Amino acid sequence: PGQSMFLILSGNVNMMRQGKLLKELEPGDYVGQLALLANAPRVVSALAVTDIVLLEIHDEDFYELMAGRFEVLQSIVRHLSRRLLTLLPNL
């Protein structure tokens, strides 16, 4: 199960599933949040296409951050919803 998520500080990451490119992520994007929230295995692979710098956020820190800041939770839910909508045709 995903126990952390990653914020991309620099570089680019391709999100892949079964060898198919789903989306290219850039600095400011994050990965791993679905597995973290669902406490489930990761279902998409992340492939660095350039040198990257990531910030790892562990589940305990993530939930502590969300508990005190509604705007963070709201932003993450919005972002997840948009990402799911763009991925649905590819699944």
Side-chain angles (χ1 to χ4, degrees):
Q3 296 177 330
S4 59
M5 62 177 280
F6 302 88
L7 174 63
I8 302 168
L9 299 178
S10 67
N12 293 58
V13 176
N14 282 348
M15 301 307 295
M16 311 286 293
R17 184 162 193 211
Q18 299 175 340
K20 182 177 179 184
L21 175 65
L22 299 175
K23 183 173 178 122
E24 184 172 334
L25 303 180
E26 303 174 334
D29 288 326
Y30 40 89
V31 298
Q33 69 282 0
L34 285 175
L36 185 145
L37 288 168
N39 193 30
R42 301 184 192 281
V43 296
V44 175
S45 298
L47 174 67
V49 293
T50 64
D51 289 339
I52 59 172
V53 176
L54 302 174
L55 173 66
E56 184 176 13
I57 304 170
H58 293 276
D59 53 0
E60 292 174 6
D61 297 324
F62 177 78
Y63 290 118
E64 184 178 320
L65 176 66
M66 285 197 325
R69 294 180 181 86
F70 176 75
E71 67 277 3
V72 172
L73 175 61
Q74 187 177 32
S75 174
I76 289 171
V77 168
R78 237 186 234 130
H79 181 82
L80 287 174
S81 298
R82 279 191 217 116
R83 187 175 288 176
L84 285 172
L85 288 173
T86 62
L87 292 178
L88 284 175
N90 296 316
L91 295 178

